[in-house]
Amino acid sequence: MTIHVEKDGEITVITMDRPDVRNAVDSDHARALYDAFLAFDADDSAKVAVFHGAHGHFCAGWDLQFGAKMMREARGGESGVFADLDFQPEDVHPLGPMGPSRLLLSKPVIAAVSGAAVAGGMELALWCDMRVMEDDAYFGVYCRRFGVPLIDGGTVRLPRLVGMGHAMDLILTGRKVEAAEALQMGLCNRVVPQGTAREAALVLARQLAAFPQKTMLADRQSAYTQWDLPLPQALKQEWARGSLCIGEGLQGAARFADGQGRHGRF
C-alpha cells in the first residue's frame, strides 16, 4: 500500500505515495487514508497530524482511470459506483469517496501542500485544519472539466473557508488558484518556498503540540460545532467545553505570574 504513516515524536505524518498518478486516490487508497486517520485519532501519544503528498504533489484528486473502470463494471449504473458510500447522518465514522473527508477528528491535521492539490485533492486539503502551501503549488476544482461533482465536502467547506463569492468563482469555473491568491483569499494559511511544505508543517505541528492540549482541543471543537447553532446555543456549548478546562487555564495563569510567556513570547 502506498499510504505511509510515520511517527515523529508527538506528530504523525501521513503520506500519499502514488507518483505515477500524482497521488490520485482510488477506493483502496481512500480506505487506507481513512484507516490511517482514525488510527491517529485513537493514538493517545499523537497530538497533531501532518498530511503530505510525496514526489512534489499533494493529490490530483480521484483516480479517473480507476473511476472509468468502476463505471464499466458497475451493475447499478452511475448510482451504483459509490453505493457503499451513501452518507447516513447517524454514522459515527462515515467513509468518504476520498477516505477521511467526512470525519471530524478530535485532533488537528495540517496539510503540507506541494504541486497539485486539485479536485478531490483540494477537498482533502480543505478537510484539514490548516494548509501550508509551497509557492509553486496550486488548487483548483479541476473536476469541473469532466463533470465530476464535489462530494468530499468541497461545496460545504470552501464557502465556509473563503466566503460565498470566492467559492462560487472557484466551484463554477474550476480555474487554477496559485499560492499567492490562495493566501490572499484565506484558502491557505502559510506560503513557503518550494520543497519546504512538509518541514514547515512539522514546525507548525510541533508548536501546536506544545500548547496545553485540553484547552486547545476544546476551542477547536467549539469552532467546528458552532456553525448551525443559534448564537445563544453556540455560546452555551463554548462555555460547556471551556469550563472543563478552567484548571488548565489557572495553571497557565500561575506560569504567567512567574514571568513565563510575557509580551507574546511562546
Side-chain angles (χ1 to χ4, degrees):
M1 181 57 67
T2 50
I3 303 298
H4 306 304
V5 179
E6 307 165 62
K7 293 296 293 292
D8 183 346
E10 296 174 316
I11 313 304
T12 296
V13 181
I14 297 175
T15 302
M16 297 173 283
D17 187 0
R18 299 188 73 203
D20 54 322
V21 289
R22 292 190 173 186
N23 298 322
V25 171
D26 60 19
S27 56
D28 288 342
H29 291 86
R31 170 65 72 167
L33 282 174
Y34 170 87
D35 290 343
F37 277 106
L38 282 182
F40 154 70
D41 209 40
D43 183 355
D44 291 338
S45 69
K47 293 183 177 179
V48 184
V50 169
F51 192 9
H52 170 250
H55 307 291
H57 290 284
F58 181 71
C59 177
W62 179 251
D63 187 338
L64 293 182
Q65 294 185 41
F66 176 78
K69 180 175 181 289
M70 288 180 67
M71 279 292 296
R72 288 192 295 269
E73 297 175 354
R75 294 180 180 179
E78 293 181 11
S79 61
V81 174
F82 288 119
D84 59 336
L85 295 174
D86 188 24
F87 189 18
Q88 302 299 326
E90 64 271 17
D91 290 347
V92 177
H93 299 301
L95 172 66
M98 293 289 293
S101 56
R102 293 173 178 169
L103 298 174
L104 177 57
L105 301 185
S106 64
K107 296 179 283 192
V109 179
I110 301 171
V113 179
S114 56
V118 297
M122 178 175 172
E123 290 182 285
L124 285 178
L126 293 173
W127 170 74
C128 298
D129 295 84
M130 299 179 72
R131 285 148 295 282
V132 176
M133 189 174 184
E134 293 180 6
D135 55 15
D136 64 339
Y138 54 94
F139 291 114
V141 185
Y142 278 22
C143 50
R144 180 61 55 236
R145 298 171 294 169
F146 303 106
V148 178
L150 296 172
I151 52 175
D152 282 273
T155 65
V156 178
R157 295 188 178 100
L158 189 58
R160 292 181 176 187
L161 190 63
V162 302
M164 198 66 171
H166 287 309
M168 284 297 98
D169 179 9
L170 274 56
I171 290 170
L172 297 180
T173 69
R175 68 180 179 83
K176 183 179 185 179
V177 181
E178 296 181 331
E181 184 182 8
L183 182 64
Q184 182 273 327
M185 70 170 66
L187 188 52
C188 73
N189 303 94
R190 310 276 194 281
V191 173
V192 299
Q194 180 183 0
T196 66
R198 174 177 165 139
E199 185 53 43
L202 282 168
V203 170
L204 181 57
R206 293 184 191 110
Q207 178 184 343
L208 299 189
F211 289 138
Q213 292 295 294
K214 190 174 181 180
T215 301
M216 185 186 76
L217 296 180
D219 288 347
R220 174 186 178 273
Q221 200 74 6
S222 178
Y224 273 122
T225 56
Q226 57 80 31
W227 280 103
D228 297 320
L229 296 176
L231 180 60
Q233 291 181 5
L235 294 173
K236 182 177 180 180
Q237 65 96 25
E238 179 189 64
W239 162 248
R241 286 188 171 88
S243 63
L244 299 176
C245 307
I246 296 299
E248 198 170 68
L250 291 174
Q251 293 174 15
R255 293 198 303 275
F256 180 82
D258 289 340
Q260 298 180 34
R262 297 288 181 94
H263 310 293
R265 291 194 300 273
F266 281 81

